[in-house]
Amino acid sequence: MSTAFMTQEQFLNHWQGHRNLTRKTIEKFPEKDLFEFRIGGMRTFADLIKELLSIALPGLEGIIADKTDGYSHDLPQATKAELLAEWDRQTPLITEAYKQLKPEQFHENYNLFGQYNAPIYENLLYFMDNEVHHRAQGYVYLRALGIEPPMFWER
């Protein structure tokens, strides 16, 4: 008998824990630095957050609707408050959309944004991995600015 590593609900809770930590990271940034500070040619943290906002929920909605529309990171949010508001708007929608997935779908292939063909579970892991990666860049930025980032385990 095979036992799953984690349940579908446990995965969602883990993902939402990461989203909570990323939100805390956004909050730590001074407004100006969120949109202007960069190191070594990397994008600003605001640009990285816009990428996350343009991928996770739209990608999940594409999976649910079986649509492979492309994406754009060119989002209109121009202030920290607007980024946080969009983050907060999307968070419960991610939960709602995710709960529409059936366990048997996780191993089905899906062509994310018409570009990345992989099993749905790999797409979901990509959403989380991408967020962790970009949040880590935000941690580097915060430390360079002399600001203590949130503890990584505070999800």
Side-chain angles (χ1 to χ4, degrees), residues 15-63:
W15 183 9
Q16 290 293 15
H18 278 290
R19 287 187 61 80
N20 184 47
L21 183 54
T22 300
R23 189 188 196 289
K24 290 178 185 181
T25 306
I26 299 166
E27 288 176 329
K28 288 277 191 170
F29 271 82
E31 181 91 20
K32 182 178 188 299
D33 293 322
L34 180 62
F35 289 88
E36 295 178 11
F37 188 78
R38 62 181 75 227
I39 296 174
M42 292 191 300
R43 294 173 285 164
T44 67
F45 196 56
D47 286 339
L48 300 175
I49 295 303
K50 287 180 181 184
E51 177 184 318
L52 298 176
L53 290 169
S54 67
I55 288 178
L57 178 60
L60 189 55
E61 289 174 337
I63 291 168

Side-chain angles (χ1 to χ4, degrees), residues 107-118:
H107 291 275
E108 294 175 5
N109 275 351
Y110 172 73
N111 193 12
L112 183 66
F113 303 118
Q115 297 179 37
Y116 311 104
N117 196 21

Side-chain angles (χ1 to χ4, degrees), residues 46-132:
D47 286 339
L48 300 175
I49 295 303
K50 287 180 181 184
E51 177 184 318
L52 298 176
L53 290 169
S54 67
I55 288 178
L57 178 60
L60 189 55
E61 289 174 337
I63 291 168
I64 299 302
D66 196 25
K67 292 186 178 180
T68 56
D69 299 340
Y71 61 89
S72 171
H73 302 325
D74 187 22
L75 301 180
Q77 291 77 21
T79 67
K80 181 177 170 176
E82 290 173 345
L83 282 175
L84 288 168
E86 182 60 13
W87 194 266
D88 293 344
R89 184 190 76 79
Q90 286 192 12
T91 296
L93 296 175
I94 286 172
T95 295
E96 289 174 26
Y98 179 85
K99 287 182 175 182
Q100 294 178 48
L101 289 172
K102 294 173 180 49
E104 58 272 13
Q105 289 179 273
F106 282 85
H107 291 275
E108 294 175 5
N109 275 351
Y110 172 73
N111 193 12
L112 183 66
F113 303 118
Q115 297 179 37
Y116 311 104
N117 196 21
I120 289 172
Y121 76 88
E122 287 185 17
N123 288 305
L124 296 172
L125 288 170
Y126 166 74
F127 299 153
M128 193 182 324
D129 291 346
N130 193 45
E131 181 175 335
V132 171

